[in-house]
Amino acid sequence: MKNYIKIAIVMVLFMGAYPLSGINNVFYKDNNVTPEKIDKSFNTKSGLKVNINLEIGAEIEVTGWDKEVVNVVCQTTGKNADRVTYDINETSEGVEINAKLTNKHKNAKYDAKVFVKVPVKYSVEYITMGGDVTLKNITGDLRGKTMGGELNFSDLNGSANCQTMGGEITLYKCTLDGKVKTMGGEIRMEDVTGNLSVETMGGEIHQKNVTLKENKSSLDEITIKTMGGDIKVDKVLTESIITTMGGNIEINSAKDDLKVTTMGGDIKVDEMDGEIEAKTMGGNITVNLNGCPENGEINISTMAGNIYLTVPENLGMKIKVQVKGNGSEDMDDYIKSDFKLNIDNDDWEEINADAVIGNGSVRVELTSNMGKVIIKKK
Protein backbone atom coordinates (compact mmCIF):
# COMPACT_ATOMS: atom_id res chain seq x y z
CA MET A 1 0.00 0.00 0.00
CA LYS A 2 1.40 3.37 -0.95
CA ASN A 3 1.88 5.72 1.90
CA TYR A 4 0.95 9.25 0.92
CA ILE A 5 1.14 10.65 4.41
CA LYS A 6 3.54 13.52 4.72
CA ILE A 7 5.05 13.47 8.18
CA ALA A 8 5.77 16.96 9.49
CA ILE A 9 8.02 16.98 12.56
CA VAL A 10 7.72 20.27 14.39
CA MET A 11 9.83 20.87 17.51
CA VAL A 12 8.02 23.19 19.91
CA LEU A 13 10.60 25.22 21.78
CA PHE A 14 9.78 25.96 25.38
CA MET A 15 11.27 28.63 27.62
CA GLY A 16 14.30 26.74 28.77
CA ALA A 17 15.14 25.55 25.25
CA TYR A 18 15.24 28.90 23.49
CA PRO A 19 18.80 29.88 22.53
CA LEU A 20 19.53 33.28 23.99
CA SER A 21 22.69 34.04 22.06
CA GLY A 22 22.43 35.73 18.69
CA ILE A 23 18.88 36.99 19.28
CA ASN A 24 18.44 40.73 19.06
CA ASN A 25 15.82 42.56 21.06
CA VAL A 26 12.26 41.84 19.96
CA PHE A 27 10.00 44.76 20.73
CA TYR A 28 6.73 43.91 22.47
CA LYS A 29 4.11 46.29 23.77
CA ASP A 30 3.88 44.54 27.14
CA ASN A 31 6.98 45.63 29.10
CA ASN A 32 6.53 42.71 31.54
CA VAL A 33 7.67 40.26 28.89
CA THR A 34 11.42 39.79 28.38
CA PRO A 35 12.64 40.73 24.88
CA GLU A 36 14.20 37.30 24.20
CA LYS A 37 10.87 35.51 24.42
CA ILE A 38 7.19 36.29 24.03
CA ASP A 39 4.96 33.94 25.99
CA LYS A 40 1.50 35.09 26.96
CA SER A 41 -1.69 33.31 28.05
CA PHE A 42 -5.36 34.32 28.24
CA ASN A 43 -8.31 32.69 29.93
CA THR A 44 -10.99 32.06 27.31
CA LYS A 45 -14.03 29.99 26.45
CA SER A 46 -14.58 27.28 23.87
CA GLY A 47 -16.31 28.48 20.73
CA LEU A 48 -14.37 31.73 20.37
CA LYS A 49 -11.67 32.53 17.81
CA VAL A 50 -7.99 33.33 17.48
CA ASN A 51 -7.21 35.87 14.75
CA ILE A 52 -3.61 35.83 13.54
CA ASN A 53 -2.65 38.74 11.28
CA LEU A 54 1.03 38.70 10.37
CA GLU A 55 2.29 41.44 8.08
CA ILE A 56 5.57 39.55 8.00
CA GLY A 57 6.70 36.20 6.70
CA ALA A 58 6.31 33.75 9.58
CA GLU A 59 5.40 30.15 10.31
CA ILE A 60 2.19 29.51 12.21
CA GLU A 61 1.31 26.48 14.31
CA VAL A 62 -2.05 26.25 16.10
CA THR A 63 -2.81 23.23 18.28
CA GLY A 64 -5.92 22.36 20.24
CA TRP A 65 -5.55 21.29 23.88
CA ASP A 66 -7.84 20.45 26.82
CA LYS A 67 -7.58 23.82 28.57
CA GLU A 68 -9.81 26.90 28.47
CA VAL A 69 -6.69 28.93 27.83
CA VAL A 70 -5.05 30.49 24.76
CA ASN A 71 -1.27 30.38 24.97
CA VAL A 72 0.85 32.35 22.48
CA VAL A 73 4.59 31.90 22.02
CA CYS A 74 6.46 34.03 19.47
CA GLN A 75 10.08 33.44 18.49
CA THR A 76 12.06 35.73 16.20
CA THR A 77 15.73 35.29 15.37
CA GLY A 78 18.12 36.68 12.79
CA LYS A 79 20.04 39.85 11.95
CA ASN A 80 16.92 42.05 11.76
CA ALA A 81 14.88 40.38 14.50
CA ASP A 82 14.76 43.70 16.35
CA ARG A 83 12.55 45.13 13.60
CA VAL A 84 9.71 42.65 14.25
CA THR A 85 7.02 43.83 16.67
CA TYR A 86 4.10 41.87 18.08
CA ASP A 87 0.79 43.03 19.51
CA ILE A 88 -1.20 40.31 21.31
CA ASN A 89 -4.54 41.17 22.89
CA GLU A 90 -7.72 39.66 24.23
CA THR A 91 -10.86 40.74 22.31
CA SER A 92 -14.60 40.12 22.55
CA GLU A 93 -14.18 37.42 19.88
CA GLY A 94 -11.26 35.71 21.60
CA VAL A 95 -7.58 36.54 21.05
CA GLU A 96 -5.89 38.64 18.35
CA ILE A 97 -2.24 38.36 17.33
CA ASN A 98 -0.66 41.02 15.11
CA ALA A 99 2.89 41.31 13.84
CA LYS A 100 4.64 43.78 11.59
CA LEU A 101 8.09 44.85 10.46
CA THR A 102 9.32 48.34 11.36
CA ASN A 103 11.73 50.18 9.07
CA LYS A 104 10.78 47.91 6.21
CA HIS A 105 13.26 47.13 3.49
CA LYS A 106 13.58 44.30 0.99
CA ASN A 107 16.64 42.68 2.54
CA ALA A 108 15.40 42.31 6.10
CA LYS A 109 16.74 39.07 7.54
CA TYR A 110 14.80 37.33 10.29
CA ASP A 111 13.07 34.05 11.10
CA ALA A 112 9.71 34.30 12.83
CA LYS A 113 7.51 31.58 14.28
CA VAL A 114 4.20 31.85 16.11
CA PHE A 115 3.00 28.91 18.24
CA VAL A 116 -0.56 29.04 19.58
CA LYS A 117 -2.49 26.65 21.80
CA VAL A 118 -6.27 26.97 21.91
CA PRO A 119 -9.20 24.99 23.32
CA VAL A 120 -10.11 22.10 21.02
CA LYS A 121 -13.42 23.79 20.13
CA TYR A 122 -12.07 27.05 18.73
CA SER A 123 -12.03 28.84 15.38
CA VAL A 124 -8.89 30.03 13.62
CA GLU A 125 -8.39 32.85 11.14
CA TYR A 126 -4.92 33.64 9.89
CA ILE A 127 -2.80 35.41 7.27
CA THR A 128 0.97 35.37 6.87
CA MET A 129 3.10 36.91 4.15
CA GLY A 130 5.10 33.71 3.75
CA GLY A 131 5.47 30.60 5.88
CA ASP A 132 4.12 27.15 6.63
CA VAL A 133 0.83 26.80 8.49
CA THR A 134 0.13 23.83 10.76
CA LEU A 135 -3.30 23.25 12.31
CA LYS A 136 -4.04 20.20 14.43
CA ASN A 137 -6.63 18.86 16.87
CA ILE A 138 -9.13 21.70 16.36
CA THR A 139 -12.90 21.79 15.88
CA GLY A 140 -14.20 25.04 14.41
CA ASP A 141 -14.23 27.42 11.46
CA LEU A 142 -10.78 27.49 9.83
CA ARG A 143 -9.90 30.27 7.39
CA GLY A 144 -6.69 31.75 6.13
CA LYS A 145 -3.98 32.36 3.56
CA THR A 146 -0.22 32.11 3.37
CA MET A 147 1.56 33.79 0.48
CA GLY A 148 4.13 31.03 0.18
CA GLY A 149 4.25 27.95 2.39
CA GLU A 150 2.87 24.52 3.13
CA LEU A 151 -0.46 23.74 4.77
CA ASN A 152 -0.27 20.81 7.19
CA PHE A 153 -3.67 19.91 8.66
CA SER A 154 -4.43 16.95 10.93
CA ASP A 155 -7.26 15.90 13.26
CA LEU A 156 -9.48 18.82 12.25
CA ASN A 157 -13.26 19.00 12.36
CA GLY A 158 -15.44 21.80 10.98
CA SER A 159 -15.37 24.10 7.97
CA ALA A 160 -12.33 25.25 6.01
CA ASN A 161 -11.44 27.93 3.48
CA CYS A 162 -7.66 27.87 3.30
CA GLN A 163 -5.18 28.73 0.58
CA THR A 164 -1.45 28.86 -0.07
CA MET A 165 0.03 30.70 -3.01
CA GLY A 166 2.88 28.25 -3.42
CA GLY A 167 3.22 25.12 -1.31
CA GLU A 168 2.06 21.58 -0.66
CA ILE A 169 -1.12 20.70 1.24
CA THR A 170 -1.41 17.70 3.55
CA LEU A 171 -4.74 16.64 5.06
CA TYR A 172 -4.76 13.74 7.53
CA LYS A 173 -7.63 12.45 9.65
CA CYS A 174 -9.86 15.47 9.02
CA THR A 175 -13.63 15.94 8.83
CA LEU A 176 -14.08 19.17 6.85
CA ASP A 177 -16.52 20.99 4.62
CA GLY A 178 -15.30 23.75 2.33
CA LYS A 179 -12.23 24.31 0.18
CA VAL A 180 -8.44 24.08 0.31
CA LYS A 181 -6.30 25.33 -2.55
CA THR A 182 -2.67 25.75 -3.57
CA MET A 183 -1.43 27.73 -6.54
CA GLY A 184 1.59 25.52 -7.04
CA GLY A 185 2.13 22.33 -5.07
CA GLU A 186 1.04 18.77 -4.42
CA ILE A 187 -1.99 17.80 -2.36
CA ARG A 188 -1.99 14.68 -0.19
CA MET A 189 -5.09 13.46 1.62
CA GLU A 190 -5.73 10.44 3.81
CA ASP A 191 -8.71 9.52 5.98
CA VAL A 192 -10.63 12.69 5.11
CA THR A 193 -14.41 13.04 5.42
CA GLY A 194 -16.64 15.91 4.30
CA ASN A 195 -18.05 17.93 1.45
CA LEU A 196 -14.64 19.18 0.41
CA SER A 197 -13.09 20.74 -2.69
CA VAL A 198 -9.32 20.49 -3.15
CA GLU A 199 -7.47 22.22 -5.96
CA THR A 200 -3.92 22.80 -7.13
CA MET A 201 -2.85 24.90 -10.09
CA GLY A 202 0.33 22.95 -10.68
CA GLY A 203 0.91 19.70 -8.82
CA GLU A 204 -0.12 16.11 -8.33
CA ILE A 205 -2.93 14.98 -6.04
CA HIS A 206 -2.66 11.81 -3.95
CA GLN A 207 -5.81 10.65 -2.19
CA LYS A 208 -6.68 7.75 0.08
CA ASN A 209 -9.91 7.02 1.99
CA VAL A 210 -11.82 10.23 1.27
CA THR A 211 -15.59 10.09 1.90
CA LEU A 212 -18.65 12.27 2.38
CA LYS A 213 -20.39 12.60 5.70
CA GLU A 214 -23.16 10.10 6.44
CA ASN A 215 -25.81 12.87 6.40
CA LYS A 216 -24.78 14.13 2.96
CA SER A 217 -27.33 15.83 0.71
CA SER A 218 -27.91 14.96 -2.93
CA LEU A 219 -25.75 17.93 -3.94
CA ASP A 220 -22.73 16.96 -1.86
CA GLU A 221 -19.62 15.62 -3.53
CA ILE A 222 -15.87 15.43 -3.28
CA THR A 223 -14.13 17.64 -5.85
CA ILE A 224 -10.46 17.05 -6.71
CA LYS A 225 -8.82 19.29 -9.29
CA THR A 226 -5.33 20.07 -10.57
CA MET A 227 -4.41 22.35 -13.45
CA GLY A 228 -1.17 20.59 -14.27
CA GLY A 229 -0.36 17.24 -12.71
CA ASP A 230 -1.32 13.62 -12.21
CA ILE A 231 -4.01 12.47 -9.82
CA LYS A 232 -3.53 9.18 -7.98
CA VAL A 233 -6.35 7.82 -5.86
CA ASP A 234 -6.43 4.66 -3.78
CA LYS A 235 -10.16 4.48 -3.08
CA VAL A 236 -13.08 6.68 -4.08
CA LEU A 237 -15.81 5.85 -1.56
CA THR A 238 -18.39 8.45 -2.51
CA GLU A 239 -19.63 10.68 -5.33
CA SER A 240 -16.61 12.48 -6.73
CA ILE A 241 -15.48 14.86 -9.47
CA ILE A 242 -11.82 14.39 -10.40
CA THR A 243 -10.24 16.72 -12.96
CA THR A 244 -6.76 17.50 -14.27
CA MET A 245 -5.93 19.85 -17.11
CA GLY A 246 -2.68 18.15 -17.99
CA GLY A 247 -1.95 14.75 -16.48
CA ASN A 248 -2.99 11.16 -15.95
CA ILE A 249 -5.67 9.93 -13.54
CA GLU A 250 -5.20 6.60 -11.80
CA ILE A 251 -7.86 5.17 -9.48
CA ASN A 252 -7.51 1.82 -7.75
CA SER A 253 -11.18 1.45 -6.85
CA ALA A 254 -14.31 3.60 -6.92
CA LYS A 255 -18.03 3.41 -6.27
CA ASP A 256 -21.14 5.58 -6.53
CA ASP A 257 -21.16 8.33 -9.17
CA LEU A 258 -17.70 9.13 -10.55
CA LYS A 259 -16.86 11.93 -13.00
CA VAL A 260 -13.30 11.90 -14.32
CA THR A 261 -11.83 14.36 -16.82
CA THR A 262 -8.35 15.09 -18.14
CA MET A 263 -7.42 17.42 -20.98
CA GLY A 264 -4.21 15.63 -21.83
CA GLY A 265 -3.61 12.22 -20.28
CA ASP A 266 -4.76 8.67 -19.69
CA ILE A 267 -7.53 7.57 -17.33
CA LYS A 268 -7.39 4.22 -15.57
CA VAL A 269 -9.92 2.81 -13.10
CA ASP A 270 -8.95 -0.65 -11.88
CA GLU A 271 -12.18 -1.46 -10.01
CA MET A 272 -15.42 0.47 -10.67
CA ASP A 273 -18.70 -0.28 -8.92
CA GLY A 274 -21.27 2.30 -10.00
CA GLU A 275 -21.87 4.94 -12.66
CA ILE A 276 -18.94 6.60 -14.37
CA GLU A 277 -18.39 9.47 -16.79
CA ALA A 278 -14.81 9.53 -18.10
CA LYS A 279 -13.45 11.94 -20.70
CA THR A 280 -10.00 12.73 -22.06
CA MET A 281 -8.93 14.98 -24.91
CA GLY A 282 -5.73 13.09 -25.58
CA GLY A 283 -5.22 9.64 -24.08
CA ASN A 284 -6.50 6.14 -23.46
CA ILE A 285 -9.27 5.21 -21.03
CA THR A 286 -9.28 1.86 -19.23
CA VAL A 287 -12.18 0.87 -16.96
CA ASN A 288 -12.77 -2.45 -15.23
CA LEU A 289 -16.46 -2.44 -14.28
CA ASN A 290 -17.65 -4.73 -11.49
CA GLY A 291 -21.26 -3.56 -11.53
CA CYS A 292 -23.66 -0.68 -12.07
CA PRO A 293 -27.14 -0.01 -10.64
CA GLU A 294 -30.22 -0.42 -12.85
CA ASN A 295 -30.85 2.60 -15.07
CA GLY A 296 -27.26 3.63 -14.48
CA GLU A 297 -24.99 5.16 -17.12
CA ILE A 298 -21.50 4.42 -18.34
CA ASN A 299 -20.26 7.26 -20.55
CA ILE A 300 -16.68 7.09 -21.83
CA SER A 301 -15.14 9.26 -24.55
CA THR A 302 -11.69 10.14 -25.87
CA MET A 303 -10.68 12.52 -28.64
CA ALA A 304 -7.41 10.81 -29.46
CA GLY A 305 -7.01 7.41 -27.86
CA ASN A 306 -8.37 3.95 -27.24
CA ILE A 307 -11.13 2.77 -24.90
CA TYR A 308 -10.75 -0.49 -22.99
CA LEU A 309 -13.89 -1.53 -21.10
CA THR A 310 -14.28 -4.78 -19.16
CA VAL A 311 -17.76 -5.66 -17.81
CA PRO A 312 -19.44 -8.61 -16.08
CA GLU A 313 -20.84 -11.16 -18.50
CA ASN A 314 -24.31 -11.06 -16.92
CA LEU A 315 -24.67 -7.26 -16.79
CA GLY A 316 -27.76 -5.99 -18.61
CA MET A 317 -26.69 -3.25 -21.00
CA LYS A 318 -27.83 -1.10 -23.87
CA ILE A 319 -24.60 -0.43 -25.73
CA LYS A 320 -23.90 2.36 -28.20
CA VAL A 321 -20.46 2.78 -29.78
CA GLN A 322 -19.18 5.42 -32.17
CA VAL A 323 -15.68 5.49 -33.64
CA LYS A 324 -14.36 8.14 -35.98
CA GLY A 325 -11.18 7.29 -37.84
CA ASN A 326 -8.99 8.79 -40.50
CA GLY A 327 -10.65 7.13 -43.46
CA SER A 328 -8.20 4.23 -43.60
CA GLU A 329 -9.17 0.85 -44.99
CA ASP A 330 -8.75 -0.93 -41.64
CA MET A 331 -11.71 0.81 -39.99
CA ASP A 332 -13.30 -2.61 -39.42
CA ASP A 333 -10.68 -3.26 -36.75
CA TYR A 334 -11.60 -0.19 -34.72
CA ILE A 335 -14.35 -1.97 -32.71
CA LYS A 336 -13.69 -5.28 -30.97
CA SER A 337 -16.22 -6.80 -28.57
CA ASP A 338 -16.77 -10.08 -26.71
CA PHE A 339 -20.49 -9.25 -26.97
CA LYS A 340 -22.29 -9.48 -30.30
CA LEU A 341 -22.82 -5.97 -31.69
CA ASN A 342 -24.78 -4.68 -34.65
CA ILE A 343 -22.12 -2.81 -36.60
CA ASP A 344 -22.78 -0.18 -39.26
CA ASN A 345 -19.59 0.51 -41.19
CA ASP A 346 -21.05 1.92 -44.40
CA ASP A 347 -19.36 5.24 -43.69
CA TRP A 348 -15.66 4.93 -44.44
CA GLU A 349 -14.73 7.53 -41.80
CA GLU A 350 -17.15 6.50 -39.02
CA ILE A 351 -18.38 3.26 -37.50
CA ASN A 352 -21.46 2.94 -35.29
CA ALA A 353 -22.43 -0.13 -33.30
CA ASP A 354 -25.17 -1.01 -30.83
CA ALA A 355 -26.62 -3.93 -28.93
CA VAL A 356 -29.02 -4.81 -26.13
CA ILE A 357 -27.54 -7.29 -23.68
CA GLY A 358 -29.90 -8.98 -21.19
CA ASN A 359 -32.50 -6.56 -19.85
CA GLY A 360 -30.60 -3.53 -21.19
CA SER A 361 -30.92 -1.69 -17.86
CA VAL A 362 -27.51 0.04 -17.95
CA ARG A 363 -26.83 2.51 -20.74
CA VAL A 364 -23.28 2.28 -22.08
CA GLU A 365 -22.02 4.94 -24.50
CA LEU A 366 -18.48 4.74 -25.86
CA THR A 367 -17.04 7.34 -28.23
CA SER A 368 -13.54 7.49 -29.69
CA ASN A 369 -11.94 9.72 -32.29
CA MET A 370 -8.82 8.36 -33.94
CA GLY A 371 -8.81 5.34 -31.64
CA LYS A 372 -10.21 1.89 -31.01
CA VAL A 373 -12.95 0.59 -28.70
CA ILE A 374 -12.39 -2.81 -27.12
CA ILE A 375 -15.10 -4.39 -24.93
CA LYS A 376 -14.32 -7.51 -22.93
CA LYS A 377 -16.49 -9.59 -20.63
CA LYS A 378 -15.47 -11.32 -17.42
Side-chain angles (χ1 to χ4, degrees):
M1 183 187 304
K2 293 184 179 179
N3 181 8
Y4 295 124
I5 306 173
K6 180 175 181 180
I7 302 175
I9 303 176
V10 180
M11 181 176 291
V12 181
L13 303 178
F14 291 93
M15 183 173 181
Y18 285 115
L20 301 182
S21 61
I23 300 180
N24 294 323
N25 290 335
V26 179
F27 293 110
Y28 184 62
K29 293 189 177 181
D30 189 338
N31 293 327
N32 295 325
V33 180
T34 60
E36 291 83 7
K37 176 186 175 184
I38 297 171
D39 187 340
K40 194 166 186 179
S41 296
F42 302 88
N43 292 325
T44 190
K45 295 180 180 179
S46 294
L48 297 181
K49 179 175 72 172
V50 59
N51 192 330
I52 306 171
N53 182 19
L54 307 182
E55 298 179 23
I56 60 172
E59 295 183 16
I60 297 172
E61 179 179 314
V62 185
T63 305
W65 63 351
D66 60 354
K67 298 180 181 180
E68 295 286 276
V69 174
V70 173
N71 175 252
V72 182
V73 174
C74 302
Q75 177 191 4
T76 309
T77 60
K79 181 179 179 180
N80 302 122
D82 58 342
R83 297 183 181 180
V84 178
T85 63
Y86 295 92
D87 185 13
I88 306 171
N89 297 293
E90 185 176 12
T91 70
S92 59
E93 294 183 344
V95 174
E96 185 175 81
I97 304 167
N98 296 286
K100 63 181 180 179
L101 189 66
T102 61
N103 300 322
K104 295 181 181 180
H105 63 84
K106 294 182 179 180
N107 297 319
K109 297 179 180 180
Y110 62 90
D111 181 26
K113 298 178 181 179
V114 176
F115 301 95
V116 185
K117 292 182 179 179
V118 299
V120 172
K121 294 183 178 180
Y122 223 72
S123 294
V124 179
E125 186 169 345
Y126 65 85
I127 184 167
T128 174
M129 293 297 103
D132 297 345
V133 176
T134 300
L135 306 179
K136 52 188 177 181
N137 193 35
I138 302 170
T139 296
D141 183 32
L142 313 171
R143 299 176 179 272
K145 178 188 290 187
T146 174
M147 301 305 290
E150 298 181 0
L151 302 182
N152 298 302
F153 296 166
S154 61
D155 297 298
L156 303 180
N157 194 322
S159 59
N161 188 348
C162 301
Q163 179 176 343
T164 173
M165 299 302 290
E168 296 183 0
I169 297 176
T170 300
L171 298 169
Y172 179 62
K173 289 186 177 180
C174 296
T175 300
L176 293 172
D177 295 335
K179 182 177 183 178
V180 292
K181 181 178 180 179
T182 174
M183 300 300 289
E186 294 185 352
I187 297 178
R188 299 175 183 271
M189 300 185 292
E190 182 171 358
D191 298 334
V192 174
T193 302
N195 182 17
L196 186 65
S197 172
V198 297
E199 181 176 345
T200 173
M201 300 298 289
E204 295 186 355
I205 297 177
H206 304 269
Q207 182 251 61
K208 181 178 180 182
N209 296 336
V210 176
T211 62
L212 288 175
K213 295 178 181 177
E214 292 182 358
N215 62 346
K216 66 185 179 93
S217 74
S218 60
L219 297 178
D220 287 343
E221 62 197 8
I222 298 292
T223 302
I224 301 172
K225 183 177 181 180
T226 174
M227 298 299 290
D230 296 338
I231 298 177
K232 299 178 181 180
V233 179
D234 180 42
K235 294 181 180 180
V236 179
L237 302 177
T238 190
E239 299 175 15
S240 300
I241 298 176
I242 301 175
T243 304
T244 174
M245 299 299 290
N248 300 323
I249 298 175
E250 299 179 15
I251 301 172
N252 288 340
S253 66
K255 67 178 184 178
D256 287 342
D257 186 3
L258 178 64
K259 296 180 181 179
V260 190
T261 305
T262 174
M263 299 299 291
D266 296 336
I267 296 173
K268 184 180 180 183
V269 183
D270 289 335
E271 303 288 338
M272 182 70 217
D273 191 355
E275 297 181 86
I276 180 172
E277 179 180 327
K279 297 180 179 180
T280 176
M281 300 296 290
N284 299 325
I285 300 177
T286 303
V287 177
N288 180 18
L289 187 69
N290 291 331
C292 187
E294 289 193 7
N295 301 317
E297 296 185 6
I298 308 298
N299 192 323
I300 301 174
S301 64
T302 174
M303 296 298 293
N306 300 325
I307 295 173
Y308 303 94
L309 176 64
T310 302
V311 298
E313 182 177 8
N314 61 353
L315 182 66
M317 299 176 290
K318 185 176 181 180
I319 302 175
K320 181 180 179 181
V321 181
Q322 183 181 73
V323 175
K324 295 182 178 181
N326 57 8
S328 63
E329 296 181 357
D330 61 350
M331 282 291 290
D332 291 345
D333 294 330
Y334 276 39
I335 298 177
K336 297 292 183 182
S337 174
D338 289 346
F339 300 93
K340 183 176 177 57
L341 303 179
N342 303 311
I343 299 178
D344 179 5
N345 58 358
D346 292 340
D347 190 331
W348 204 32
E349 295 185 351
E350 179 179 307
I351 299 178
N352 293 282
D354 59 62
V356 177
I357 310 299
N359 62 8
S361 63
V362 177
R363 189 173 73 179
V364 178
E365 294 190 3
L366 311 174
T367 304
S368 174
N369 291 340
M370 305 297 294
K372 297 180 179 181
V373 174
I374 298 175
I375 306 173
K376 292 185 174 293
K377 60 185 178 182
K378 59 179 180 178

